[in-house]
Amino acid sequence: MVSTGTLRSWYNIFGSSNSAYLSWIVIGVLVCEGITGMATDGLWNTVNHGRTFATVDWSKFKTDDDDDDDDDEEEDEEEEEEGGGGEGGDEEEEEDED
């Protein structure tokens, strides 16, 4: 298994005090969590390729019909025509004619 010299040097570095031992445990947990997280994410992405937001080919869903943009432009033009004094000017002309 592990040689006595290796265990003795590990003990002298990490096992001789509580703070060093606790640091060893925390660092070990973080490293193992990182490795496990990367492995499970890689497996998940491999199994679900093409089904997640990042891997979907969005060009398949693109449409050439830009009706939404045209509708917005038409509404803006109508508001400009109404707000440009079109109605107010007509009323004044009618009063002048009578």
Side-chain angles (χ1 to χ4, degrees):
M1 279 204 174
V2 182
S3 68
T4 307
T6 305
L7 289 176
R8 188 166 305 205
S9 63
W10 179 88
Y11 180 79
N12 289 334
I13 297 170
F14 297 108
S16 59
S17 70
N18 285 339
S19 61
Y21 184 67
L22 185 60
S23 298
W24 169 261
I25 291 174
V26 169
I27 291 170
V29 167
L30 292 175
V31 168
C32 289
E33 177 64 26
I35 292 169
T36 305
M38 287 190 311
T40 55
D41 285 346
L43 179 64
W44 178 268
N45 289 332
T46 301
V47 171
N48 293 310
H49 184 75
R51 298 179 192 155
T52 60
F53 185 81
T55 60
V56 170
D57 183 16
W58 293 106
S59 65
K60 293 179 182 178
F61 299 103
K62 183 177 181 176
T63 61
D64 293 333
D65 188 21
D66 292 334
D67 285 340
D68 294 338
D69 295 336
D70 295 339
D71 292 341
D72 292 340
E73 291 174 6
E74 290 174 5
E75 289 175 5
D76 291 342
E77 289 174 2
E78 290 175 5
E79 289 176 4
E80 288 176 5
E81 289 174 4
E82 291 175 2
E87 292 179 7
D90 292 340
E91 291 176 5
E92 290 176 10
E93 290 176 11
E94 291 175 7
E95 291 176 6
D96 292 338
E97 293 175 3
D98 288 334

